[in-house]
């Protein structure tokens, strides 16, 4: 089972302006083939379906721990998209005005129609994320190889989206995930090497660009976040990853470490109401009524 904490993995900069085209590009990092929904659900089902988990505990612990982090990645990218849609509709609002007229100049209007300009489980072209993207073969080496490739594909897409927008909120998120995704690449590399003896570290980094090249990634690298793996657990479970995530980083030669628990985390954004979307659909009288109802039932 999972325990939820009401924090984001990092503080996202509150944007001074929105950029709906940047939001659309970032959607690929959420619902694309190599997006966070794919990494999450690949590892989630591999952890559910894992065989011989007692005999192969370090590998089960590794996939399970990264699964938990990927839930946080999905959350982080989703909130980035939400913030990028700030002030992208027309105000003041009247139902007879075309407050949502910018939707017709957008590549597709799903965000305007389906979700009140918030994240959706889709890619940048509007295609829904599909469970067909899940790979869970039951063969441990094959699954780990797939995960290694999946993380590298995700890293490549993040770099490209980084180059598509200079929006500070988008770049902060991408910089962080470049570092954390790079850590997962190393974790799967170490797992494959321990099982097969084949050295994949000589291939890294792929693409052959250091995270430190990216301004918003460098500060997270300087904090050592590229060299640490969390077990996302407070009661001593999933610490078998210490048997795999050991030695040095193949690119930086920094010492790899495992930390019990979770990162400290950052503030959760609080999205304002959007009357033109009828979201959340409550006025001042409704808030008063709801507050009274809750107080009466304490």
């Amino acid at each position: 089972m999972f325990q939820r904490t009401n924090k984001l993995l990092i503080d996202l900069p509150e944007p001074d302006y929105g950029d709906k085209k940047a939001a659309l590009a970032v959607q690929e990092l959420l619902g694309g083939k190599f997006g966070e929904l794919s990494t999450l659900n690949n590892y989630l089902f591999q952890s559910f379906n894992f065989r011989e988990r007692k005999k192969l505990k370090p590998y089960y612990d590794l996939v399970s721990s990264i699964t938990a982090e990927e839930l946080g990645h999905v959350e982080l990218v989703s909130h980035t998209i939400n913030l990028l849609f700030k002030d992208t509709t027309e105000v003041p609002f009247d139902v007879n005005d075309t407050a949502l007229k910018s939707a017709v100049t957008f590549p597709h209007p799903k965000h305007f129609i389906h979700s009140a300009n918030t994240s959706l489980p889709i890619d940048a072209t509007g295609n829904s994320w599909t469970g067909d993207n899940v790979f869970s073969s039951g063969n441990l080496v094959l699954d780990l190889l797939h995960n290694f490739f999946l993380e590298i594909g995700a890293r490549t897409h993040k770099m490209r989206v980084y180059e598509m927008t200079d929006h500070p909120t988008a770049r902060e998120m991408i910089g962080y995930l470049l570092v954390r995704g790079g850590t997962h690449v190393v974790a799967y590399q170490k797992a494959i090497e321990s099982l097969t003896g084949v050295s994949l570290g000589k291939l890294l980094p792929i693409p052959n660009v250091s995270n430190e090249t990216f301004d918003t990634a460098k500060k997270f690298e300087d904090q050592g976040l590229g060299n640490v793996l969390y077990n996302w657990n407070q009661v001593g479970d999933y610490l078998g990853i210490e048997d795999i995530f050991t030695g040095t980083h193949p690119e930086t030669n920094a010492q790899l470490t495992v930390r019990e628990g979770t990162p400290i985390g950052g503030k959760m954004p609080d999205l304002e109401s959007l009357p033109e979307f009828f979201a959340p659909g409550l006025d001042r009288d409704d808030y008063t009524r709801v507050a009274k109802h809750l107080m009466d039932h304490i």
Side-chain angles (χ1 to χ4, degrees):
M1 59 182 176
F2 299 92
Q3 180 174 335
R4 185 162 183 165
T5 302
N6 192 32
K7 288 186 176 181
L8 283 184
L9 288 166
I10 58 170
D11 285 317
L12 286 173
E14 287 285 343
D16 295 326
Y17 61 94
D19 186 338
K20 59 181 180 292
K21 291 183 179 179
L24 191 59
V26 172
Q27 272 289 167
E28 187 68 25
L29 305 184
L30 179 62
K33 184 176 181 179
F34 291 92
E36 299 300 334
L37 282 171
S38 288
T39 50
L40 166 63
N41 283 290
N42 272 265
Y43 311 156
L44 184 68
F45 279 91
Q46 288 174 16
S47 69
F48 290 162
N49 302 336
F50 201 99
R51 297 182 184 273
E52 298 279 15
R53 58 182 70 183
K54 289 184 179 179
K55 291 182 180 179
L56 297 168
K57 184 178 186 298
Y59 303 97
Y60 169 69
D61 288 359
L62 179 71
V63 175
S64 298
S65 298
I66 296 179
T67 297
E69 180 163 358
E70 293 297 341
L71 277 165
H73 290 188
V74 169
E75 184 177 48
L76 184 66
V77 177
S78 294
H79 278 284
T80 300
I81 293 166
N82 297 344
L83 293 173
L84 288 171
F85 273 114
K86 178 181 179 179
D87 297 336
T88 56
T89 52
E90 304 296 324
V91 290
F93 162 65
D94 184 292
V95 292
N96 295 302
D97 293 336
T98 52
L100 305 183
K101 64 183 179 182
S102 59
V104 298
T105 62
F106 206 43
H108 56 77
K110 283 188 174 182
H111 292 91
F112 291 81
I113 296 173
H114 293 188
S115 67
N117 275 4
T118 49
S119 63
L120 287 167
I122 62 175
D123 65 16
T125 60
N127 295 314
S128 296
W129 186 86
T130 171
D132 290 341
N133 291 331
V134 171
F135 187 91
S136 179
S137 73
N139 181 288
L140 180 56
V141 175
L142 181 56
D143 284 348
L144 292 173
L145 276 169
H146 174 271
N147 297 352
F148 179 74
F149 167 73
L150 182 60
E151 291 284 356
I152 290 171
R155 169 179 165 81
T156 305
H157 287 193
K158 290 180 179 74
M159 289 180 174
R160 291 171 179 171
V161 175
Y162 184 97
E163 293 180 312
M164 291 178 186
T165 176
D166 60 1
H167 196 287
T169 303
R171 283 199 161 188
E172 187 81 359
M173 176 274 293
I174 295 171
Y176 176 78
L177 291 187
L178 279 173
V179 174
R180 295 307 301 156
T183 307
H184 295 169
V185 169
V186 173
Y188 287 126
Q189 167 234 322
K190 293 280 184 179
I192 294 164
E193 288 181 358
S194 69
L195 280 170
T196 67
V198 175
S199 178
L200 296 177
K202 295 177 182 179
L203 298 174
L204 301 178
I206 303 172
N208 190 21
V209 180
S210 169
N211 283 340
E212 296 199 355
T213 306
F214 301 87
D215 291 341
T216 58
K218 185 178 186 304
K219 67 177 181 181
F220 294 116
E221 287 286 359
D222 291 344
Q223 294 171 18
L225 293 181
N227 313 311
V228 59
L229 208 58
Y230 298 90
N231 76 329
W232 300 87
N233 182 266
Q234 304 287 355
V235 294
D237 294 332
Y238 306 113
L239 284 173
I241 56 178
E242 293 176 330
D243 296 334
I244 296 174
F245 199 70
T246 186
T248 58
H249 193 290
E251 180 185 356
T252 65
N253 291 320
Q255 187 66 41
L256 302 177
T257 61
V258 173
R259 292 182 190 170
E260 190 168 13
T262 65
I264 295 173
K267 183 180 67 173
M268 184 71 70
D270 188 9
L271 301 180
E272 297 179 353
S273 64
L274 291 179
E276 64 271 31
F277 284 102
F278 322 105
L282 301 174
D283 59 22
R284 184 176 299 175
D285 291 340
D286 291 319
Y287 290 126
T288 302
R289 176 180 53 78
V290 170
K292 183 180 184 304
H293 175 78
L294 292 174
M295 291 299 296
D296 289 345
H297 288 79
I298 289 179

